[in-house]
Amino acid sequence: MMKLINHWYWGRANIDDYTVISGYITAEKEYDHMNFPIFMVAKGDKILVDNPKYLKFEEKDAFIEPKTGKPVPKVMIYDYNDGKNHIKATYLHEKTILNSQMIEILPPIKRIAAKLSGFDGAYLRFSGAVKPEVFNQDGTIAKTHTNNAIWEEIYFGKTIK
């Protein structure tokens, strides 16, 4: 995975009987930092949407997390609209609850080798609010509810500037 993936986000949210699974994978430089969006919404046990070609992903107001040096967006928006279903999930960062440099968990010899190679992987976990929104055909909001959420960012590669 470390040769293919630079970093990814992953999250899960619930609103009443809706479940949202979201992710956004960014490939390594050798693959032009190509993006692979993931977005699935189910109502009960029925999948409503899961085609990434209809997904727009946006990061806003990023800051650099002090310990890891990795960018963290304060707002992440997954906006899915296939013309029939329009569902948006907005994650609002409130707190970084885990910030770990992957090098810290390696045995001493491997840690030295990782430092010499320039490895700076990180794992971050966040808490905050998620606001899923289900839209009617006319663009008005049919259902919304802000809920608590936990999501993560994993960085295998060099920070993308």
Side-chain angles (χ1 to χ4, degrees):
M1 283 191 342
M2 293 172 59
K3 291 182 179 186
L4 299 173
I5 298 172
N6 180 273
H7 67 280
W8 82 63
Y9 300 106
W10 182 89
R12 179 183 171 109
N14 292 302
I15 172 174
D16 298 329
D17 55 347
Y18 290 89
T19 300
V20 177
I21 306 274
S22 57
Y24 200 76
I25 301 168
T26 300
E28 268 296 3
K29 184 178 181 180
E30 293 81 31
Y31 306 99
D32 298 321
H33 292 130
M34 190 172 187
N35 296 308
F36 299 92
I38 299 164
F39 194 73
M40 188 278 307
V41 178
K43 183 174 183 182
D45 61 357
K46 181 182 178 205
I47 294 175
L48 299 178
V49 301
D50 69 348
N51 190 335
K53 77 179 187 179
Y54 299 112
L55 180 67
K56 291 181 184 174
F57 175 78
E58 185 178 2
E59 300 171 88
K60 293 183 177 181
D61 303 326
F63 66 94
I64 300 300
E65 198 284 321
K67 180 178 177 183
T68 63
K70 301 300 182 188
V72 174
K74 290 184 180 178
V75 178
M76 289 191 319
I77 302 167
Y78 295 83
D79 193 350
Y80 183 98
N81 191 345
D82 64 9
K84 181 179 164 191
N85 298 290
H86 186 185
I87 301 170
K88 182 165 45 170
T90 303
Y91 290 84
L92 304 164
H93 177 278
E94 292 173 9
K95 185 176 180 182
T96 300
I97 57 177
L98 179 66
N99 55 354
S100 151
Q101 294 172 304
M102 290 181 181
I103 203 166
E104 295 171 347
I105 63 171
L106 296 174
I109 297 294
K110 288 185 178 182
R111 191 176 309 144
I112 291 167
K115 281 183 184 180
L116 291 173
S117 73
F119 178 70
D120 70 344
Y123 175 76
L124 299 112
R125 185 173 289 165
F126 314 108
S127 65
V130 63
K131 182 180 179 183
E133 298 168 291
V134 179
F135 293 88
N136 293 312
Q137 289 293 320
D138 65 2
T140 59
I141 295 174
K143 193 169 211 167
T144 187
H145 175 76
T146 301
N147 204 353
N148 295 325
I150 293 177
W151 63 99
E152 67 183 17
E153 176 180 25
I154 296 178
Y155 244 100
F156 291 126
K158 298 281 184 200
T159 304
I160 300 173
K161 304 288 183 196

